[in-house]
Amino acid sequence: MNKEQIIEAIESMTVLELSELVKALEEKFGVSAAAPVAVAAAPAAGGAAAAEEKTEFDVILTAAGAGKINVIKVVREVTGLGLKEAKAIVDEAPKAVKEKISKADAEALKAKLEEAGASVEIK
């Protein structure tokens, strides 16, 4: 099987099949392909189709803003982390607060963090 045939096979896969393939490759070779997979999934599924099928979202804290203490409180509340760990997430922004959550949960978390004064983005 040559490179073109492999690419054609990947292009015909659904996002779910592609996700399962990536997991299998990660296990087989002991590597993590998180960033490249996100790039490969969009063209394989055809851009708009990938956006429609996406079911897991990451909430990224981009900046704590003026209400840093309130943002830390919200991060502690939603993650269950201790004060030190929550403060580390806020201090190291941009940083993921929660990963692989539903769109509704991501939107709710974004609203809660923004209410506390943070800048947030959903990926």
Side-chain angles (χ1 to χ4, degrees), residues 38-118:
V39 173
E52 290 173 23
E53 293 182 32
K54 186 170 181 174
T55 58
E56 294 181 337
F57 298 85
D58 297 345
V59 177
I60 311 295
L61 176 70
T62 55
K68 184 176 177 180
I69 292 171
N70 290 331
V71 174
I72 293 171
K73 287 179 182 178
V74 172
V75 170
R76 284 188 69 195
E77 177 188 327
V78 299
T79 61
L81 295 172
L83 179 60
K84 183 177 179 181
E85 294 85 359
K87 183 178 182 303
I89 288 175
V90 173
D91 288 342
E92 295 169 8
K95 185 101 172 155
V97 176
K98 279 210 157 184
E99 297 177 324
K100 297 182 180 167
I101 60 176
S102 73
K103 184 169 184 157
D105 290 345
E107 293 288 345
L109 178 54
K110 179 181 180 187
K112 198 174 223 181
L113 286 165
E114 286 177 341
E115 186 179 310

